[in-house]
Amino acid sequence: MFSDESRFCLGASDGRVLVRRRPGEILKPTCLRPRHTGPAPGVMVWGAISYDSRSTLVVIPRTLTANLYVSLVIQPVVLPFMNSIQGGVFQQNNARPHTAIVSQHALQSADMLPWPARSPDLSPMEHIWDIIGLQLQRDPKPALTVPVLTDQVQQAWNSIPQADIWHLYDAMHARLHSKFWRLHRLLMCQHFTFEMALLALTLTCDLETLINSIC
């Protein structure tokens, strides 16, 4: 079971929209598209996927702290979801709310998947967020308010075909082995410093443990 948080913002797309206007139509509402020019408001969500199912999407109403993570995510969502998966293993990244003592205590009954630091590209959840982001960009009626954006993110989450999640899981083994051998080749580089080699070796060992856990 892979989990992650992501933030989606209003007007996050940087794509330009071209509008044809006749003389005198420059300020007509049909020729205008509102957008935010300051820090874009948005919504943060948490979600998790397993091979055959997915969790409910949790809206994070404010800055995520360890206590909020436990009360809003772990207790009502993660633990029941894990109990529904026979032999399930839970993955989360190394964000501070995840590694806090209170969070670790709440997850002590769950089997945890070791996760290398600074390895977001290994998680299939990153691809899930990309899929949702693309759906939001392609929506013919972009959200102008946070509640509408929240509904669109929820709809996009629910509409992801389970076959797409199967594909991401099936590709995990190849991605991990590719990362493993890429680091192994780096260790053979003549210009590697001792500190760089030690860091790569540590990460390589973590990846090997991760591969063995998934396979």
Side-chain angles (χ1 to χ4, degrees):
M1 172 180 168
F2 291 91
S3 70
D4 194 21
E5 299 93 13
S6 185
R7 181 174 176 82
F8 297 92
C9 297
L10 291 172
S13 174
D14 58 356
R16 294 184 177 182
V17 178
L18 301 180
V19 179
R20 292 183 178 272
R21 296 182 298 218
R22 296 186 178 90
E25 291 184 341
I26 187 170
L27 295 180
K28 281 193 173 183
T30 54
C31 298
L32 301 177
R33 182 177 181 181
R35 71 184 184 93
H36 297 271
T37 56
V43 58
M44 175 174 281
V45 294
W46 175 96
I49 58 173
S50 67
Y51 192 80
D52 290 317
S53 60
R54 73 198 71 181
S55 72
T56 56
L57 194 67
V58 179
V59 176
I60 309 298
R62 56 185 183 275
T63 301
L64 186 63
T65 63
N67 288 329
L68 184 62
Y69 184 54
V70 171
S71 63
L72 195 64
V73 176
I74 295 178
Q75 292 178 342
V77 181
V78 173
L79 296 181
F81 192 26
M82 289 294 295
N83 290 334
S84 68
I85 304 174
Q86 185 175 4
V89 179
F90 181 60
Q91 177 275 337
Q92 60 181 1
N93 60 29
N94 299 305
R96 287 186 179 181
H98 302 169
T99 58
I101 294 177
V102 64
S103 301
Q104 295 299 312
H105 179 74
L107 288 168
Q108 61 183 350
S109 63
D111 290 332
M112 304 296 294
L113 182 66
W115 198 250
R118 298 178 295 277
S119 300
D121 55 317
L122 296 177
S123 174
M125 283 301 300
E126 296 299 325
H127 297 277
I128 294 294
W129 301 137
D130 288 343
I131 292 172
I132 293 177
L134 287 174
Q135 289 194 35
L136 295 178
Q137 290 181 17
R138 294 170 181 170
D139 196 305
K141 296 182 179 180
L144 299 179
T145 64
V146 172
V148 173
L149 176 63
T150 303
D151 289 341
Q152 290 182 349
V153 172
Q154 181 69 68
Q155 292 172 12
W157 170 264
N158 294 335
S159 67
I160 296 175
Q162 194 64 33
D164 290 356
I165 297 178
W166 294 342
H167 174 73
L168 292 174
Y169 263 82
D170 293 339
M172 274 292 296
H173 189 272
R175 288 205 306 273
L176 287 169
H177 271 287
S178 174
K179 188 85 169 181
F180 180 89
W181 288 113
R182 190 158 62 247
L183 286 170
H184 185 270
R185 287 194 296 271
L186 283 174
L187 285 172
M188 306 303 294
C189 178
Q190 294 181 354
H191 302 290
F192 236 55
T193 65
F194 174 77
E195 291 79 8
M196 293 170 65
L198 184 61
L199 175 62
L201 181 60
T202 302
L203 182 55
T204 301
C205 293
D206 288 342
L207 283 171
E208 189 172 21
T209 302
L210 181 58
I211 291 173
N212 293 333
S213 300
I214 293 178
C215 299

